[in-house]
Amino acid sequence: MHQKEFISVVAIIGVLALAGIAGYFIVISKEARCTDYSVAKINDDPSFIYTYNKDSGLQAIPEKKFEGILKEYDKLPPDVGTTVQRDLTYNLDGKAIYATKDDLSKYVGKRVILTGKNYKFELEGSQRDEIWPVSIVCTPSSAPAPSPSPKPNESEVFLREGQREGPFLLEKIYPDRITGLNFKEYPVPFFPGPVTLRIGEIVSNGCTITLTLTRIGGNTATFIKNTDLNRPCTKCLAEDTLIDTPSGLVPVKDIRAGSPVWTTDKAGRRVSGVVTKTSKVPVLLTHRMIHLALDDGRELVVSPGHPTADGRSVGDLMRGDLYDGASVASAERLPYGESATYDILPSGETGLYWANGILLDSTLH
C-alpha cells in the first residue's frame, strides 16, 4: 500500500471512530411538552431505594433532585466494559442514569426532575458518575417562551390564590397548572364549574371576556385579558322594563340614543342626562332571567349578570340582602321567553339609571 493510500485509510478510520464514539451519545435535543405531570416511582426495589448498594460498603448518600432534559443513549457508554451488564439506557444532560428495568421512553426529550442519589465509583478501572433515581416527574421548561404582549383591546392581569378576575376565580397554583372556578354567562348563565388551566389555555365568560394563562411564577398566575365588546353577554333588561325619564316612564325597547333619562352624579343626586348608547342583544329560547322582588313592592326581570349600582351582579343578590334602600324578598330564576334583551347608557359620571324604579348600572360603559 502506498503511503498516501495508507494515510487516507487511517484518516477514514479516524473519522469513523469519532463518528462511532459520537454515536454512543446520540440524543434527542429538542425539548418536548409533557402531558402527564404526576410523579412516577422507579427502581421499585427496597434494597435499591433504601440501602443503595449496601453490600458494597459505600457510605449512604442523601437524596437530591436533578433537573434537565432526559436523553437516550444510542447504546451503552463505551467505558462500561463487557463483563458487567448495566442498565444505562438514559442520561440527564450527559450524566448516566441507572434505571434498572424501568421504561422511561415516554419522558425522553422532556424536561424532568429526578429524585435520587449521585454515585461516583470505580468499575473495571473506569470512573463512574451516575444518578440512581427513585422517582421521576415532568416539569415545565425553566426557560419558557416569552409571554405575548397585550394588544390594544387586551390587558395583563395578575392573580393570586383566592382572587377573581371576570369569569375566573383562582383557587390553587401548582408549578405546571392552576385550578379554579369558571363563571359562565353566555349562552346560559351557569353555576361556577371547576376548571384546570395550563400555559396557553383559556377561560371565558362565553362572550366579552377571555383570559389566557401566559405564565406561572411562584404564587402568581399571569393572564392576558381580552375584552371584545362586539360579543356582548346577555346582561340586560326584559323588553317591557320601564325606564325613569324626565318625560315619564318609557319601555326600554323604545329608548333611543339622545333620549332624556334620569341618572345620578357621583354624590348620588338625581340628575337629568341623555342616553348615549343602547343595545339589543338576541337571546336563546333557553335563556333564563332573574325575577327580583324587593320588600317595598318594586320588581324587575333582568339577566343574572346585570351589574347593580353597588358593584355586584343581580345574580349575586339573595333573599334578605339589602339593596337600593330595601330588602330582597326573592330572586328567582325563570325562563324568559322573548327573543332579545335591552340596555342603555346614560351620559354623566356614573352610568346609573332606574329600571322599574330600581337603581342599576349599565353594561355599556
Side-chain angles (χ1 to χ4, degrees), residues 106-219:
K106 73 175 184 177
Y107 298 99
V108 171
K110 300 178 175 67
R111 182 168 291 274
V112 300
I113 293 177
L114 288 172
T115 299
K117 302 188 179 186
N118 186 194
Y119 261 123
K120 298 179 181 180
F121 59 97
E122 182 177 313
L123 178 66
E124 295 186 343
S126 173
Q127 295 298 319
R128 304 301 307 153
D129 185 356
E130 300 175 1
I131 299 172
W132 291 22
V134 294
S135 70
I136 184 170
V137 62
C138 269
T139 182
S141 171
S142 60
S147 300
S149 300
K151 298 175 182 177
N153 61 330
E154 296 177 337
S155 60
E156 200 165 36
V157 174
F158 306 93
L159 293 182
R160 296 186 176 186
E161 291 177 356
Q163 294 181 329
R164 177 177 173 179
E165 177 67 29
F168 183 63
L169 171 64
L170 177 55
E171 293 186 315
K172 189 71 176 176
I173 296 177
Y174 299 92
D176 60 294
R177 67 194 186 282
I178 61 174
T179 59
L181 296 176
N182 183 198
F183 294 78
K184 298 283 285 185
E185 299 179 40
Y186 189 83
V188 179
F190 291 101
F191 290 106
V195 63
T196 298
L197 298 177
R198 302 186 189 277
I199 300 297
E201 296 182 337
I202 66 172
V203 64
S204 172
N205 63 352
C207 39
T208 52
I209 298 175
T210 299
L211 296 172
T212 303
L213 180 62
T214 59
R215 188 167 61 252
I216 301 172
N219 61 356

Side-chain angles (χ1 to χ4, degrees), residues 24-273:
Y24 288 125
F25 301 97
I26 293 175
V27 298
I28 297 175
S29 59
K30 183 178 180 181
E31 183 178 346
R33 289 287 182 184
C34 292
T35 56
D36 181 5
Y37 290 86
S38 58
V39 177
K41 296 292 185 181
I42 51 181
N43 290 321
D44 193 14
D45 178 351
S47 65
F48 179 89
I49 296 173
Y50 299 110
T51 65
Y52 279 84
N53 204 8
K54 175 181 177 182
D55 294 336
S56 70
L58 294 177
Q59 186 176 0
I61 300 173
E63 286 185 1
K64 58 187 296 188
K65 295 184 183 298
F66 306 86
E67 181 175 348
I69 298 177
L70 188 72
K71 304 173 184 179
E72 186 174 18
Y73 285 118
D74 185 60
K75 56 183 72 174
L76 288 180
D79 59 352
V80 169
T82 59
T83 62
V84 178
Q85 269 314 114
R86 298 182 57 70
D87 298 295
L88 299 170
T89 309
Y90 309 100
N91 76 86
L92 193 72
D93 291 343
K95 191 182 293 291
I97 297 172
Y98 183 54
T100 63
K101 296 178 173 57
D102 291 280
D103 180 8
L104 306 182
S105 58
K106 73 175 184 177
Y107 298 99
V108 171
K110 300 178 175 67
R111 182 168 291 274
V112 300
I113 293 177
L114 288 172
T115 299
K117 302 188 179 186
N118 186 194
Y119 261 123
K120 298 179 181 180
F121 59 97
E122 182 177 313
L123 178 66
E124 295 186 343
S126 173
Q127 295 298 319
R128 304 301 307 153
D129 185 356
E130 300 175 1
I131 299 172
W132 291 22
V134 294
S135 70
I136 184 170
V137 62
C138 269
T139 182
S141 171
S142 60
S147 300
S149 300
K151 298 175 182 177
N153 61 330
E154 296 177 337
S155 60
E156 200 165 36
V157 174
F158 306 93
L159 293 182
R160 296 186 176 186
E161 291 177 356
Q163 294 181 329
R164 177 177 173 179
E165 177 67 29
F168 183 63
L169 171 64
L170 177 55
E171 293 186 315
K172 189 71 176 176
I173 296 177
Y174 299 92
D176 60 294
R177 67 194 186 282
I178 61 174
T179 59
L181 296 176
N182 183 198
F183 294 78
K184 298 283 285 185
E185 299 179 40
Y186 189 83
V188 179
F190 291 101
F191 290 106
V195 63
T196 298
L197 298 177
R198 302 186 189 277
I199 300 297
E201 296 182 337
I202 66 172
V203 64
S204 172
N205 63 352
C207 39
T208 52
I209 298 175
T210 299
L211 296 172
T212 303
L213 180 62
T214 59
R215 188 167 61 252
I216 301 172
N219 61 356
T220 303
T222 304
F223 300 82
I224 293 294
K225 178 181 179 181
N226 179 285
T227 303
D228 185 357
L229 297 180
N230 293 318
R231 300 181 66 240
C233 298
T234 306
K235 294 183 176 179
C236 307
L237 307 170
E239 62 179 22
D240 58 355
T241 303
L242 298 177
I243 305 299
D244 284 13
T245 80
S247 304
L249 298 176
V250 179
V252 67
K253 65 181 180 179
D254 296 333
I255 297 283
R256 300 291 181 264
S259 298
V261 66
W262 289 118
T263 182
T264 71
D265 60 17
K266 285 187 176 180
R269 293 184 293 258
R270 185 181 180 100
V271 296
S272 177

Side-chain angles (χ1 to χ4, degrees), residues 265-280:
D265 60 17
K266 285 187 176 180
R269 293 184 293 258
R270 185 181 180 100
V271 296
S272 177
V274 296
V275 174
T276 61
K277 289 182 184 178
T278 65
S279 71
K280 177 182 178 180

